Amino acid sequence: MKRKNHWVLFAILLLALINLSPSEEMTLDRPEDRGEAQPVTPPEAQTLQETGHIQVAVQMNESDFRRLEDMNRQFTVSHSVEVDLVNVPAEESYASFQRQLMKLGESPDILLLDNIWIRRFAADGYLLPTEGYYSGSLSGEVLSASLIPNEWNGYVWGVPLDVDPYVLIYDAAKLKQLGMERPPASADDWNALISAFKKQHSQPYLLGLDYRDPFAAATLLWQIGGGWKPGESGPFFAMKDNMPLSVQQLELIQPALLDSGASGADSWNKLSGGQLAMMIAPASEAQKHVHAQMKVWMPEVQPNLAAAWIQGRSYAVSSQTDNAEAAGLWISEMTSALNQMRWQEATGHLPVLKTIYYEAASNKLPDWTPASLAAGSGAALPASPSLPGQLEAFAPLTYDYLSGAITAKQYRGRLAELSQ
């Protein structure tokens, strides 16, 4: 009986030794057999890999959209995220976005919005605050002109992509003939320029702008009136003390204006041919019509004073999205410093990251870009949720006046009504 117990104990010890020995399957291969051993990814790390399927709705011209498609392809190569890009026609963009956002489950995950719409969409509950999906820092990192329109109710609601300020393109020789060594930078400068032009009668047009573009018209009003200072209430064209001056100056200059929107390429030919002294247009448009005689000027960005409209676009995430993390990852990639410089080179739209402006020359930014665009803080910008409605009222009214459909008196009266 004692011998039998010894055999049982021996068998148990033998089994224990076998279990403690590494098996063939658990033994790492030697380097000379199949190369260095590869570490196994822990299951919990695998769940952190980016996955998902998102839809991005934008409104761009074809060349810009093709550039975005290139950037998106680079993104999908290195990330496990499927991305559907949709280019919405210009005439359908915001109406289409609003219809989709109102229908649960039908909206895009990401929208590219003009900054004038960010606060409106946020106030209507259509957007997620950036804190819910964007891991980077926006405050202090991007231009104030881009960030301020995206702030509402204590949150930021969009990640800026680019800016496209309205600039003055001018013929220096023509301005010199009118007694100006540089573009007009104040209400007094504009008054002197208009007076000199009326005395000379050397050409039919002084300034070109697109009559249907409310941003160009607002820039002109701000320029000739000495700038717009935001108040506690009132739209961007309610310039309080200097509003009568702006409208009065506009009456004086109106006969010497050229509708560049109707004239198209002919207006740029007139500018390069010496038949037009100046043009107000977006910077991206100006860069398409480079000419030896033409120069570009943008006024300095001043706190609490708007002298030129700074148009911009931002990516925003729908409050209906099911994949906010993947959306934030895509936005971070599209707005990175490297992609912003590539975007500027391809589209002419300026970047929003301040660090790019600190080395403007090496980053190939236009030499007319004022340093104050990056350094300025608290710039005056019309950015209330009611801004789209204000523009909707201002645009046709101003077009009617500039094109001669209504009188200056009627225009003044309607502007006063809209300002209340």
PDB file of all heavy atoms in Angstrom, residues 260-288:
ATOM      1  N   SER A 260     -18.353  94.416 -61.194  1.00  0.00           N
ATOM      2  CA  SER A 260     -17.416  93.387 -61.654  1.00  0.00           C
ATOM      3  C   SER A 260     -18.085  92.029 -61.765  1.00  0.00           C
ATOM      4  O   SER A 260     -17.625  91.164 -62.511  1.00  0.00           O
ATOM      5  CB  SER A 260     -16.211  93.300 -60.713  1.00  0.00           C
ATOM      6  OG  SER A 260     -16.620  92.961 -59.395  1.00  0.00           O
ATOM      7  N   GLY A 261     -19.172  91.827 -61.021  1.00  0.00           N
ATOM      8  CA  GLY A 261     -19.892  90.569 -61.135  1.00  0.00           C
ATOM      9  C   GLY A 261     -20.545  90.420 -62.487  1.00  0.00           C
ATOM     10  O   GLY A 261     -20.557  89.327 -63.071  1.00  0.00           O
ATOM     11  N   ALA A 262     -21.087  91.501 -63.004  1.00  0.00           N
ATOM     12  CA  ALA A 262     -21.717  91.469 -64.327  1.00  0.00           C
ATOM     13  C   ALA A 262     -20.677  91.529 -65.439  1.00  0.00           C
ATOM     14  O   ALA A 262     -20.848  90.921 -66.506  1.00  0.00           O
ATOM     15  CB  ALA A 262     -22.700  92.635 -64.461  1.00  0.00           C
ATOM     16  N   SER A 263     -19.578  92.250 -65.195  1.00  0.00           N
ATOM     17  CA  SER A 263     -18.553  92.413 -66.232  1.00  0.00           C
ATOM     18  C   SER A 263     -17.638  91.202 -66.347  1.00  0.00           C
ATOM     19  O   SER A 263     -17.073  90.946 -67.412  1.00  0.00           O
ATOM     20  CB  SER A 263     -17.713  93.665 -65.932  1.00  0.00           C
ATOM     21  OG  SER A 263     -18.522  94.801 -65.866  1.00  0.00           O
ATOM     22  N   GLY A 264     -17.486  90.460 -65.249  1.00  0.00           N
ATOM     23  CA  GLY A 264     -16.645  89.268 -65.279  1.00  0.00           C
ATOM     24  C   GLY A 264     -15.195  89.595 -65.574  1.00  0.00           C
ATOM     25  O   GLY A 264     -14.610  90.523 -65.007  1.00  0.00           O
ATOM     26  N   ALA A 265     -14.607  88.846 -66.501  1.00  0.00           N
ATOM     27  CA  ALA A 265     -13.187  89.015 -66.829  1.00  0.00           C
ATOM     28  C   ALA A 265     -12.891  90.394 -67.389  1.00  0.00           C
ATOM     29  O   ALA A 265     -11.763  90.893 -67.267  1.00  0.00           O
ATOM     30  CB  ALA A 265     -12.753  87.933 -67.813  1.00  0.00           C
ATOM     31  N   ASP A 266     -13.895  91.034 -67.983  1.00  0.00           N
ATOM     32  CA  ASP A 266     -13.666  92.350 -68.574  1.00  0.00           C
ATOM     33  C   ASP A 266     -13.259  93.382 -67.517  1.00  0.00           C
ATOM     34  O   ASP A 266     -12.485  94.300 -67.805  1.00  0.00           O
ATOM     35  CB  ASP A 266     -14.931  92.821 -69.297  1.00  0.00           C
ATOM     36  CG  ASP A 266     -14.714  94.129 -70.048  1.00  0.00           C
ATOM     37  OD1 ASP A 266     -13.783  94.185 -70.867  1.00  0.00           O
ATOM     38  OD2 ASP A 266     -15.461  95.098 -69.781  1.00  0.00           O
ATOM     39  N   SER A 267     -13.786  93.236 -66.297  1.00  0.00           N
ATOM     40  CA  SER A 267     -13.421  94.184 -65.249  1.00  0.00           C
ATOM     41  C   SER A 267     -11.943  94.051 -64.887  1.00  0.00           C
ATOM     42  O   SER A 267     -11.266  95.055 -64.627  1.00  0.00           O
ATOM     43  CB  SER A 267     -14.299  93.969 -64.016  1.00  0.00           C
ATOM     44  OG  SER A 267     -14.147  92.652 -63.513  1.00  0.00           O
ATOM     45  N   TRP A 268     -11.421  92.819 -64.874  1.00  0.00           N
ATOM     46  CA  TRP A 268     -10.003  92.620 -64.584  1.00  0.00           C
ATOM     47  C   TRP A 268      -9.148  93.142 -65.748  1.00  0.00           C
ATOM     48  O   TRP A 268      -8.052  93.665 -65.530  1.00  0.00           O
ATOM     49  CB  TRP A 268      -9.713  91.148 -64.325  1.00  0.00           C
ATOM     50  CG  TRP A 268     -10.336  90.654 -63.052  1.00  0.00           C
ATOM     51  CD1 TRP A 268     -11.493  89.945 -62.914  1.00  0.00           C
ATOM     52  CD2 TRP A 268      -9.841  90.868 -61.724  1.00  0.00           C
ATOM     53  NE1 TRP A 268     -11.761  89.698 -61.595  1.00  0.00           N
ATOM     54  CE2 TRP A 268     -10.762  90.251 -60.833  1.00  0.00           C
ATOM     55  CE3 TRP A 268      -8.729  91.504 -61.196  1.00  0.00           C
ATOM     56  CZ2 TRP A 268     -10.583  90.261 -59.449  1.00  0.00           C
ATOM     57  CZ3 TRP A 268      -8.543  91.523 -59.820  1.00  0.00           C
ATOM     58  CH2 TRP A 268      -9.466  90.902 -58.954  1.00  0.00           C
ATOM     59  N   ASN A 269      -9.644  93.012 -66.961  1.00  0.00           N
ATOM     60  CA  ASN A 269      -8.935  93.575 -68.112  1.00  0.00           C
ATOM     61  C   ASN A 269      -8.877  95.097 -68.025  1.00  0.00           C
ATOM     62  O   ASN A 269      -7.870  95.711 -68.377  1.00  0.00           O
ATOM     63  CB  ASN A 269      -9.623  93.155 -69.413  1.00  0.00           C
ATOM     64  CG  ASN A 269      -9.512  91.669 -69.679  1.00  0.00           C
ATOM     65  OD1 ASN A 269      -8.576  91.018 -69.211  1.00  0.00           O
ATOM     66  ND2 ASN A 269     -10.466  91.118 -70.416  1.00  0.00           N
ATOM     67  N   LYS A 270      -9.972  95.696 -67.562  1.00  0.00           N
ATOM     68  CA  LYS A 270      -9.988  97.154 -67.388  1.00  0.00           C
ATOM     69  C   LYS A 270      -8.983  97.580 -66.317  1.00  0.00           C
ATOM     70  O   LYS A 270      -8.309  98.611 -66.458  1.00  0.00           O
ATOM     71  CB  LYS A 270     -11.396  97.624 -67.008  1.00  0.00           C
ATOM     72  CG  LYS A 270     -12.381  97.708 -68.168  1.00  0.00           C
ATOM     73  CD  LYS A 270     -13.720  98.235 -67.700  1.00  0.00           C
ATOM     74  CE  LYS A 270     -14.623  98.611 -68.867  1.00  0.00           C
ATOM     75  NZ  LYS A 270     -14.912  97.507 -69.772  1.00  0.00           N
ATOM     76  N   LEU A 271      -8.876  96.804 -65.251  1.00  0.00           N
ATOM     77  CA  LEU A 271      -7.936  97.137 -64.186  1.00  0.00           C
ATOM     78  C   LEU A 271      -6.496  97.028 -64.678  1.00  0.00           C
ATOM     79  O   LEU A 271      -5.673  97.925 -64.446  1.00  0.00           O
ATOM     80  CB  LEU A 271      -8.155  96.217 -62.985  1.00  0.00           C
ATOM     81  CG  LEU A 271      -7.292  96.478 -61.750  1.00  0.00           C
ATOM     82  CD1 LEU A 271      -7.539  97.878 -61.195  1.00  0.00           C
ATOM     83  CD2 LEU A 271      -7.561  95.436 -60.673  1.00  0.00           C
ATOM     84  N   SER A 272      -6.181  95.935 -65.359  1.00  0.00           N
ATOM     85  CA  SER A 272      -4.815  95.753 -65.861  1.00  0.00           C
ATOM     86  C   SER A 272      -4.517  96.679 -67.030  1.00  0.00           C
ATOM     87  O   SER A 272      -3.350  96.991 -67.307  1.00  0.00           O
ATOM     88  CB  SER A 272      -4.590  94.298 -66.284  1.00  0.00           C
ATOM     89  OG  SER A 272      -5.485  93.937 -67.325  1.00  0.00           O
ATOM     90  N   GLY A 273      -5.568  97.165 -67.725  1.00  0.00           N
ATOM     91  CA  GLY A 273      -5.374  98.040 -68.873  1.00  0.00           C
ATOM     92  C   GLY A 273      -5.421  99.519 -68.548  1.00  0.00           C
ATOM     93  O   GLY A 273      -5.392 100.356 -69.461  1.00  0.00           O
ATOM     94  N   GLY A 274      -5.530  99.882 -67.277  1.00  0.00           N
ATOM     95  CA  GLY A 274      -5.507 101.279 -66.897  1.00  0.00           C
ATOM     96  C   GLY A 274      -6.835 101.993 -67.002  1.00  0.00           C
ATOM     97  O   GLY A 274      -6.890 103.222 -66.870  1.00  0.00           O
ATOM     98  N   GLN A 275      -7.948 101.266 -67.221  1.00  0.00           N
ATOM     99  CA  GLN A 275      -9.254 101.892 -67.315  1.00  0.00           C
ATOM    100  C   GLN A 275     -10.025 101.865 -65.992  1.00  0.00           C
ATOM    101  O   GLN A 275     -11.122 102.390 -65.902  1.00  0.00           O
ATOM    102  CB  GLN A 275     -10.091 101.186 -68.390  1.00  0.00           C
ATOM    103  CG  GLN A 275      -9.494 101.245 -69.764  1.00  0.00           C
ATOM    104  CD  GLN A 275     -10.236 100.336 -70.738  1.00  0.00           C
ATOM    105  OE1 GLN A 275     -10.045  99.115 -70.749  1.00  0.00           O
ATOM    106  NE2 GLN A 275     -11.086 100.945 -71.546  1.00  0.00           N
ATOM    107  N   LEU A 276      -9.426 101.256 -64.987  1.00  0.00           N
ATOM    108  CA  LEU A 276     -10.032 101.123 -63.663  1.00  0.00           C
ATOM    109  C   LEU A 276      -8.921 101.247 -62.636  1.00  0.00           C
ATOM    110  O   LEU A 276      -7.855 100.655 -62.798  1.00  0.00           O
ATOM    111  CB  LEU A 276     -10.733  99.765 -63.552  1.00  0.00           C
ATOM    112  CG  LEU A 276     -11.533  99.463 -62.281  1.00  0.00           C
ATOM    113  CD1 LEU A 276     -12.742 100.384 -62.170  1.00  0.00           C
ATOM    114  CD2 LEU A 276     -11.995  98.003 -62.284  1.00  0.00           C
ATOM    115  N   ALA A 277      -9.161 102.030 -61.585  1.00  0.00           N
ATOM    116  CA  ALA A 277      -8.092 102.274 -60.617  1.00  0.00           C
ATOM    117  C   ALA A 277      -8.011 101.203 -59.539  1.00  0.00           C
ATOM    118  O   ALA A 277      -6.920 100.826 -59.112  1.00  0.00           O
ATOM    119  CB  ALA A 277      -8.283 103.646 -59.971  1.00  0.00           C
ATOM    120  N   MET A 278      -9.179 100.680 -59.096  1.00  0.00           N
ATOM    121  CA  MET A 278      -9.184  99.767 -57.945  1.00  0.00           C
ATOM    122  C   MET A 278     -10.307  98.734 -58.094  1.00  0.00           C
ATOM    123  O   MET A 278     -11.256  98.924 -58.847  1.00  0.00           O
ATOM    124  CB  MET A 278      -9.389 100.548 -56.645  1.00  0.00           C
ATOM    125  CG  MET A 278      -8.356 101.611 -56.365  1.00  0.00           C
ATOM    126  SD  MET A 278      -8.683 102.466 -54.782  1.00  0.00           S
ATOM    127  CE  MET A 278     -10.255 103.262 -55.141  1.00  0.00           C
ATOM    128  N   MET A 279     -10.173  97.662 -57.290  1.00  0.00           N
ATOM    129  CA  MET A 279     -11.189  96.616 -57.254  1.00  0.00           C
ATOM    130  C   MET A 279     -11.239  96.054 -55.836  1.00  0.00           C
ATOM    131  O   MET A 279     -10.204  95.874 -55.187  1.00  0.00           O
ATOM    132  CB  MET A 279     -10.844  95.503 -58.236  1.00  0.00           C
ATOM    133  CG  MET A 279     -11.885  94.400 -58.320  1.00  0.00           C
ATOM    134  SD  MET A 279     -12.914  94.543 -59.764  1.00  0.00           S
ATOM    135  CE  MET A 279     -11.759  93.983 -61.024  1.00  0.00           C
ATOM    136  N   ILE A 280     -12.448  95.774 -55.360  1.00  0.00           N
ATOM    137  CA  ILE A 280     -12.617  95.058 -54.088  1.00  0.00           C
ATOM    138  C   ILE A 280     -13.041  93.638 -54.417  1.00  0.00           C
ATOM    139  O   ILE A 280     -14.033  93.414 -55.132  1.00  0.00           O
ATOM    140  CB  ILE A 280     -13.674  95.743 -53.198  1.00  0.00           C
ATOM    141  CG1 ILE A 280     -13.160  97.085 -52.692  1.00  0.00           C
ATOM    142  CG2 ILE A 280     -14.030  94.849 -52.010  1.00  0.00           C
ATOM    143  CD1 ILE A 280     -14.177  97.863 -51.871  1.00  0.00           C
ATOM    144  N   ALA A 281     -12.306  92.661 -53.904  1.00  0.00           N
ATOM    145  CA  ALA A 281     -12.589  91.253 -54.206  1.00  0.00           C
ATOM    146  C   ALA A 281     -11.935  90.384 -53.135  1.00  0.00           C
ATOM    147  O   ALA A 281     -11.057  90.827 -52.396  1.00  0.00           O
ATOM    148  CB  ALA A 281     -12.054  90.879 -55.589  1.00  0.00           C
ATOM    149  N   PRO A 282     -12.356  89.112 -53.041  1.00  0.00           N
ATOM    150  CA  PRO A 282     -11.666  88.191 -52.123  1.00  0.00           C
ATOM    151  C   PRO A 282     -10.215  87.993 -52.548  1.00  0.00           C
ATOM    152  O   PRO A 282      -9.889  88.040 -53.737  1.00  0.00           O
ATOM    153  CB  PRO A 282     -12.469  86.887 -52.258  1.00  0.00           C
ATOM    154  CG  PRO A 282     -13.778  87.282 -52.850  1.00  0.00           C
ATOM    155  CD  PRO A 282     -13.506  88.471 -53.714  1.00  0.00           C
ATOM    156  N   ALA A 283      -9.348  87.758 -51.591  1.00  0.00           N
ATOM    157  CA  ALA A 283      -7.930  87.587 -51.883  1.00  0.00           C
ATOM    158  C   ALA A 283      -7.686  86.415 -52.833  1.00  0.00           C
ATOM    159  O   ALA A 283      -6.820  86.484 -53.706  1.00  0.00           O
ATOM    160  CB  ALA A 283      -7.155  87.380 -50.587  1.00  0.00           C
ATOM    161  N   SER A 284      -8.457  85.336 -52.664  1.00  0.00           N
ATOM    162  CA  SER A 284      -8.274  84.165 -53.536  1.00  0.00           C
ATOM    163  C   SER A 284      -8.582  84.508 -54.986  1.00  0.00           C
ATOM    164  O   SER A 284      -7.950  83.970 -55.905  1.00  0.00           O
ATOM    165  CB  SER A 284      -9.165  83.013 -53.068  1.00  0.00           C
ATOM    166  OG  SER A 284     -10.537  83.386 -53.100  1.00  0.00           O
ATOM    167  N   GLU A 285      -9.539  85.412 -55.205  1.00  0.00           N
ATOM    168  CA  GLU A 285      -9.871  85.835 -56.563  1.00  0.00           C
ATOM    169  C   GLU A 285      -8.782  86.741 -57.110  1.00  0.00           C
ATOM    170  O   GLU A 285      -8.413  86.651 -58.292  1.00  0.00           O
ATOM    171  CB  GLU A 285     -11.215  86.563 -56.565  1.00  0.00           C
ATOM    172  CG  GLU A 285     -11.733  86.945 -57.935  1.00  0.00           C
ATOM    173  CD  GLU A 285     -12.105  85.754 -58.800  1.00  0.00           C
ATOM    174  OE1 GLU A 285     -12.315  84.650 -58.253  1.00  0.00           O
ATOM    175  OE2 GLU A 285     -12.168  85.914 -60.033  1.00  0.00           O
ATOM    176  N   ALA A 286      -8.243  87.604 -56.285  1.00  0.00           N
ATOM    177  CA  ALA A 286      -7.188  88.514 -56.725  1.00  0.00           C
ATOM    178  C   ALA A 286      -5.955  87.748 -57.199  1.00  0.00           C
ATOM    179  O   ALA A 286      -5.296  88.149 -58.161  1.00  0.00           O
ATOM    180  CB  ALA A 286      -6.820  89.462 -55.596  1.00  0.00           C
ATOM    181  N   GLN A 287      -5.650  86.643 -56.517  1.00  0.00           N
ATOM    182  CA  GLN A 287      -4.452  85.878 -56.866  1.00  0.00           C
ATOM    183  C   GLN A 287      -4.584  85.170 -58.213  1.00  0.00           C
ATOM    184  O   GLN A 287      -3.583  84.728 -58.775  1.00  0.00           O
ATOM    185  CB  GLN A 287      -4.149  84.867 -55.757  1.00  0.00           C
ATOM    186  CG  GLN A 287      -3.720  85.540 -54.455  1.00  0.00           C
ATOM    187  CD  GLN A 287      -3.356  84.534 -53.365  1.00  0.00           C
ATOM    188  OE1 GLN A 287      -2.471  83.713 -53.528  1.00  0.00           O
ATOM    189  NE2 GLN A 287      -4.055  84.601 -52.244  1.00  0.00           N
ATOM    190  N   LYS A 288      -5.794  85.074 -58.719  1.00  0.00           N
ATOM    191  CA  LYS A 288      -5.999  84.467 -60.036  1.00  0.00           C
ATOM    192  C   LYS A 288      -5.728  85.456 -61.164  1.00  0.00           C
ATOM    193  O   LYS A 288      -5.680  85.070 -62.329  1.00  0.00           O
ATOM    194  CB  LYS A 288      -7.430  83.942 -60.165  1.00  0.00           C
ATOM    195  CG  LYS A 288      -7.790  82.834 -59.189  1.00  0.00           C
ATOM    196  CD  LYS A 288      -9.264  82.464 -59.332  1.00  0.00           C
ATOM    197  CE  LYS A 288      -9.671  81.416 -58.303  1.00  0.00           C
ATOM    198  NZ  LYS A 288     -11.131  81.105 -58.373  1.00  0.00           N
TER     199      LYS A 288
END
